[in-house]
């Protein structure tokens, strides 16, 4: 159920409605919009009587939401969600494209700094790199753990880039959330519901990757788990799905971008690296992703991909990333977007830890 407040409803009226919802044993989610505030109602006790709320002052109408997802839906919030990173000009979901770049995994300080320096020079505002890696083989490099997170934090201080890194389980989430600016939940965990609920309780944006065989509805429902716990800052990410095709690692499903945008106010990035698994496919699909209307990209870049400890085959050389950014810069205006200029000087801001 959804309570739509009148355009000029006061904060007090919104609060009173929220309190009434709570007193009935449900959870209110007041989501301010450009025109009016909507209050989503969650709680697993079954259908709720609209009458108790309809008569309250400031209430415009009470709507039964028939879709299984509510808070991620445009019914609750018509305009796009923009996720701003406090104290910086980094954002995802607005006019400016959000570009996340960096290695698959943090391997050592030298590697991470060499790559960060290059991606910072082109206008990327976010640096990616796994400290905890979900690997297919238990014998493959599993990530540096907290030591990797510390390197990420140093990179934030040195280059002013915001840090995106993955939490692979409930145990790693608290630590990752302490260091990261954006916490990634990977494709393999898209339906790890206890992890999603826990991510809903942190106060950092979450980058949620689409599961390898998730439908659009399953993807949005996974995001709904996070919002239902009170964290409204979710960035979706298309990273390819498993199909019969074997010319690429996955099949990048760019059609999900407009499909998501029709139904949800949440921003969506595209990951052409995992989406293709092959370096030479990353540039053409990045162009396509921006053209289709994605809010940005998450791209793997490595200064020495032949020696990368994970995903070297799909990692761009820094020069290729420069080219990608130059091309995106040209495409962006066609879709009414802009790409930020490189950060001029290292920002010594300490968001996160
Ligand atoms: C990653 O971003 O490094 C990663 C493991 O991605 P995914 O969860 O999409 O496979
Ligand atoms: Mn990877």
């Amino acid at each position: 159920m959804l309570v739509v407040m009148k355009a000029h409803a006061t904060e007090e009226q919104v609060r009173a409605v929220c309190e009434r919802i709570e007193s009935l044993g449900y959870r209110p989610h007041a989501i301010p919009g450009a025109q009016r505030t909507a209050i989503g109602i969650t709680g697993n006790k079954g259908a709720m009587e609209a009458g108790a709320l309809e008569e309250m002052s400031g209430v415009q109408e009470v709507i039964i939401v028939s879709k299984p997802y509510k808070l991620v839906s445009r019914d609750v919030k018509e305009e796009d969600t923009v996720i701003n990173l406090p104290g910086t000009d980094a954002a995802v979901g607005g006019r400016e494209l959000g570009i996340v770049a960096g290695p698959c995994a943090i391997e050592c300080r030298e590697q991470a700094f060499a790559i960060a320096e290059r991606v910072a020079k082109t206008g990327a505002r976010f640096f990616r790199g796994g400290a905890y890696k979900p690997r297919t083989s238990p014998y493959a490099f599993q990530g540096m753990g907290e030591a990797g997170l510390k390197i990420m934090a140093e990179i934030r201080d040195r280059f002013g880039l915001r840090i995106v890194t993955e939490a692979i389980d409930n145990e790693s989430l608290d630590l990752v959330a302490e260091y990261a600016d954006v916490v990634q939940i990977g494709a393999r965990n898209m339906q790890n519901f206890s992890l999603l609920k826990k991510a809903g309780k942190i106060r950092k944006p979450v980058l949620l990757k689409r599961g390898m065989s998730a439908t659009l509805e399953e993807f949005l429902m996974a995001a709904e788990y996070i919002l239902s716990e009170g964290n409204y800052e979710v960035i979706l990410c298309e990273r390819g799905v498993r199909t019969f095709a074997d010319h690429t690692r996955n099949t990048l499903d760019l059609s999900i971008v407009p499909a998501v945008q029709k139904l949800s106010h949440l921003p969506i990035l595209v990951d052409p690296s995992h989406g293709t698994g092959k370096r030479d496919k990353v540039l053409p699909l990045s162009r396509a992703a921006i053209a289709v209307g994605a809010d940005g990209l998450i791209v793997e870049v490595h200064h020495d991909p032949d020696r990368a400890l994970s995903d070297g085959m799909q990692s761009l050389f820094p020069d290729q990333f420069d080219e990608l950014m130059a091309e995106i810069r040209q495409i962006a205006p066609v879709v009414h977007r802009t790409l930020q200029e490189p950060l001029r000087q290292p920002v010594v801001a300490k968001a996160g830890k």
Side-chain angles (χ1 to χ4, degrees):
M1 200 174 301
L2 178 64
V3 181
V4 179
M5 300 300 290
K6 290 184 177 149
H8 301 294
T10 63
E11 271 179 35
E12 248 164 61
Q13 289 170 330
V14 173
R15 201 174 320 119
V17 173
C18 289
E19 281 167 11
R20 175 73 61 84
I21 294 166
E22 272 169 4
S23 74
L24 294 167
Y26 295 87
R27 180 162 184 182
H29 300 264
I31 303 190
Q35 309 299 333
R36 46 33 169 201
T37 294
I39 307 171
I41 303 173
T42 58
N44 55 5
K45 294 167 74 189
M48 179 182 165
E49 267 297 313
L53 302 167
E54 249 160 8
E55 302 307 320
M56 292 187 73
S57 50
V59 172
Q60 170 94 32
E61 57 178 332
V62 179
I63 302 172
I64 311 285
V65 182
S66 54
K67 296 189 192 85
Y69 44 86
K70 302 180 191 336
L71 303 176
V72 304
S73 154
R74 287 216 188 257
D75 295 341
V76 170
K77 185 165 176 269
E78 224 174 298
E79 62 275 13
D80 297 343
T81 287
V82 181
I83 294 171
N84 292 299
L85 281 283
T88 74
D89 67 352
V92 180
R95 198 176 146 78
E96 265 153 357
L97 294 171
I99 307 294
V100 185
C104 180
I106 301 299
E107 298 166 8
C108 65
R109 199 169 175 279
E110 291 65 36
Q111 169 247 18
F113 268 68
I115 300 165
E117 182 168 21
R118 289 297 304 265
V119 303
K121 278 192 182 145
T122 59
R125 285 292 186 277
F126 297 89
F127 184 69
R128 63 148 292 147
Y132 297 89
K133 293 304 303 175
R135 302 303 300 279
T136 303
S137 163
Y139 310 119
F141 176 58
Q142 305 283 315
M144 291 178 72
E146 187 172 6
L149 296 175
K150 289 198 163 128
I151 293 171
M152 297 288 269
E154 276 188 63
I155 283 176
R156 171 175 47 229
D157 293 346
R158 172 71 185 84
F159 299 104
L161 296 164
R162 299 297 104 183
I163 299 310
V164 182
T165 191
E166 180 169 350
I168 54 168
D169 48 30
N170 290 2
E171 290 70 49
S172 56
L173 180 62
D174 290 331
L175 199 57
V176 167
E178 256 184 64
Y179 285 91
D181 297 298
V182 176
V183 174
Q184 178 172 324
I185 294 189
R188 291 157 190 81
N189 271 317
M190 192 206 80
Q191 284 189 316
N192 179 341
F193 299 118
S194 69
L195 181 60
L196 296 175
K197 282 192 203 165
K198 201 164 171 196
K201 295 196 175 83
I202 63 172
R203 297 277 76 92
K204 293 275 170 81
V206 175
L207 174 71
L208 177 66
K209 299 189 94 177
R210 181 184 181 187
M212 291 186 199
S213 61
T215 63
L216 170 58
E217 187 168 301
E218 287 164 345
F219 192 16
L220 293 178
M221 293 302 286
E224 183 82 16
Y225 262 92
I226 302 172
L227 272 76
S228 73
E229 294 292 337
N231 186 350
Y232 307 119
E233 301 211 300
V234 174
I235 303 163
L236 301 170
C237 177
E238 160 60 24
R239 47 78 73 205
V241 288
R242 181 78 55 94
T243 69
F244 55 84
D246 57 6
H247 61 285
T248 58
R249 179 177 178 184
N250 292 295
T251 297
L252 191 66
D253 176 16
L254 291 179
S255 71
I256 204 164
V257 173
V260 160
Q261 288 168 339
K262 186 167 179 199
L263 298 172
S264 176
H265 53 85
L266 295 176
I268 180 161
L269 300 183
V270 167
D271 174 349
S273 307
H274 295 87
T276 65
K278 296 190 178 160
R279 189 177 304 136
D280 65 336
K281 309 284 185 300
V282 172
L283 176 58
L285 282 156
S286 296
R287 291 185 202 119
I290 298 306
V292 86
D295 293 294
L297 301 170
I298 174 165
V299 184
E300 288 185 343
V301 180
H302 201 288
H303 67 310
D304 188 4
D306 290 342
R307 272 192 274 259
L309 296 182
S310 66
D311 286 348
M313 301 249 290
Q314 66 194 31
S315 299
L316 296 182
F317 287 95
D319 284 351
Q320 292 177 307
F321 180 68
D322 293 349
E323 193 185 334
L324 182 155
M325 291 293 270
E327 295 201 9
I328 297 301
R329 209 173 276 288
Q330 293 186 56
I331 297 169
V334 180
V335 286
H336 313 293
R337 301 280 193 157
T338 51
L339 188 56
Q340 283 161 306
E341 293 302 323
L343 284 166
R344 292 214 180 281
Q345 61 211 15
V347 178
V348 189
K350 293 209 171 164
K353 191 163 181 175

